[in-house]
């Protein structure tokens, strides 16, 4: 009971929180003086706001200036990139290629009425086997075409040991002028087998009443649209072929022409068809064919043909023939990248091909100096005297000169007989590698410098 009478704990606590006294705020009366003071205060603050506005405007202007400078920088970078692209593009070697073939002429009519009276056909028609075929004279040509395509004509000719003139002229015309692939290929195989039989041990001999000559092959090229038959048509004025054309270019028969020429030279031991001067002319024509980009697919056949033509000569006649061939080629081919192509297509490691390549390169060097310099030392001296630091120096032409001299001196006995030629060539290479710096941005500068450095390194390691 006592505890219940005692006071509670909260009764001893003091009141610590006292409510603040609420004072009533007097309402201020705005009189005329206050309005005047506010007006002058606002007017005095206005100049402070103007610099802020100007500062903001200036920041806007600075942003515009930044955009302008950024656009100028962007344009400058684009301009530099364009110039670098032009430099890299100019440094690419131009494509070789000339329009060797123009519009084709009308193909000769393939009508041969004399076939009806040929001995081979008459013999068959008089044989008792013809009672099964009942072959008529007007059907004779179609019958012979079947024999040709299936290979029986060659067997019959060999059995009779005679190639009649009518059969020879007919098959030769089919080979060079027929639009039918089956006929022209069969005719080409017929002639190749006659001139160069696969079985060299076979002693079967037969008489040929007619053999095509050089003029027949030249006439075929003329019909194909060969532009180089006329001396008045210079290659330097011909356009480079950019693409295929329906109206220009050789027919498919050019394949048979190339193969036949190759076989004729290989068959020289059995029958002599061409003279030395005619083979010189054919080599010149084949080199021209290499310059037509439309014939890139026939490069292998052209290489075989060129090697066969080169093997035609005797050792005594070959050196003098090389000079004639080289002069004929350099009279028609311009001294640009096409002359390099003309030299480089003469491939092979045998002494003949190397000699022809060397003679061709030297004759092109003579043509590069307008046929005014014919001495080896004079040509090299002229190359050494070229100021490669001159901004107007034609470095592409210098690169062509280097490649030509390289091929001229390749396996040339002049290096052994005339050490001064080797010394002058080394001096020319040192000029090219020293006068052209690695930072030279002129077109073909890097190519000339790299080519000279490579050749110089090769000459010092010999």
């Amino acid at each position: 009971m006592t505890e219940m009478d005692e006071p509670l704990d909260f009764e001893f606590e003091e009141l610590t929180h006292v409510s603040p006294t609420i004072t009533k705020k007097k309402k201020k009366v705005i009189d005329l003086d206050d309005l005047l003071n506010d007006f002058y205060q606002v007017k005095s603050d206005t100049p402070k706001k103007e610099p802020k506005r100007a500062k903001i405007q200036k920041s806007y202007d600075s942003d515009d200036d930044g955009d302008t400078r950024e656009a100028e920088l962007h344009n400058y970078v684009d301009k530099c990139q364009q110039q670098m692209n032009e430099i890299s593009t100019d440094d690419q070697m131009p494509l070789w290629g000339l329009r060797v073939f123009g519009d084709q002429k009308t193909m000769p009519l393939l009508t041969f009425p004399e076939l009806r009276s040929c001995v081979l056909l008459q013999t068959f028609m008089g044989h008792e086997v013809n009672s099964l075929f009942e072959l008529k004279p007007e059907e004779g040509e179609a019958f012979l075409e079947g024999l040709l395509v299936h290979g029986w004509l060659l067997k019959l000719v060999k059995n009779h040991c005679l190639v009649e003139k009518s059969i020879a002229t007919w098959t030769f015309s089919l080979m060079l002028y027929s639009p039918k692939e089956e006929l022209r290929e069969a005719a080409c195989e017929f002639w190749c087998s006659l001139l160069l039989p696969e079985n060299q041990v076979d002693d079967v001999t037969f008489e040929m009443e007619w053999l095509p000559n050089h003029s027949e092959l030249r006439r075929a090229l003329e019909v194909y649209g060969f532009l180089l038959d006329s001396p008045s048509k210079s290659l330097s004025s011909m356009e480079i072929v950019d693409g295929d054309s329906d109206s220009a270019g050789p027919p498919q028969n050019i394949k048979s022409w190339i193969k036949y020429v190759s076989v004729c030279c290989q068959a020289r031991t059995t029958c002599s068809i061409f003279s030395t001067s005619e083979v010189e002319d054919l080599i010149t024509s084949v080199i021209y064919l290499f310059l037509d980009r439309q014939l890139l697919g026939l490069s292998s056949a052209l290489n075989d043909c060129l090697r066969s033509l080169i093997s035609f000569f005797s050792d005594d006649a070959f050196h003098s023939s090389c000079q004639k061939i080289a002069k004929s080629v350099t009279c028609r081919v311009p001294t640009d990248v096409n002359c390099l192509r003309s030299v480089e297509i003469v491939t092979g490691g045998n002494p003949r091909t190397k000699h022809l390549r060397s003679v061709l390169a030297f004759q092109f060097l003579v043509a590069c100096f307008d046929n005014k310099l014919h001495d080896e030392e004079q040509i090299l001296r002229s190359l050494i005297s070229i100021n490669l630091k001159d901004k107007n120096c034609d470095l592409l032409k210098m690169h062509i000169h280097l490649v030509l001299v390289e091929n001229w001196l390749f396996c040339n006995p002049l290096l052994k007989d005339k050490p001064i030629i080797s010394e002058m060539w080394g001096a020319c290479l040192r000029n090219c590698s020293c006068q052209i710096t690695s930072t030279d941005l002129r077109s073909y500068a890097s190519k000339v410098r790299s080519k000279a450095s490579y050749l110089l390194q090769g000459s010092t390691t010999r």
Side-chain angles (χ1 to χ4, degrees), residues 2 36 77 100 117 129 131 144 168 172 216 236 238 289 314 324 331 342 364 387 396 398 432 437 461:
T2 307
L36 288 173
V77 172
V100 176
S117 59
V129 180
S131 60
L144 290 175
F172 185 78
E216 296 286 345
S236 59
M238 295 180 185
L289 295 181
S314 64
K324 297 176 182 178
C331 287
S342 302
F364 273 119
N387 183 13
L396 174 59
M398 189 63 194
C432 293
T437 63
T461 55

Side-chain angles (χ1 to χ4, degrees), residues 8-16:
L8 300 173
D9 293 338
F10 66 87
E11 294 181 6
F12 293 98
E13 294 180 359
E14 296 182 357
L15 295 174
T16 58

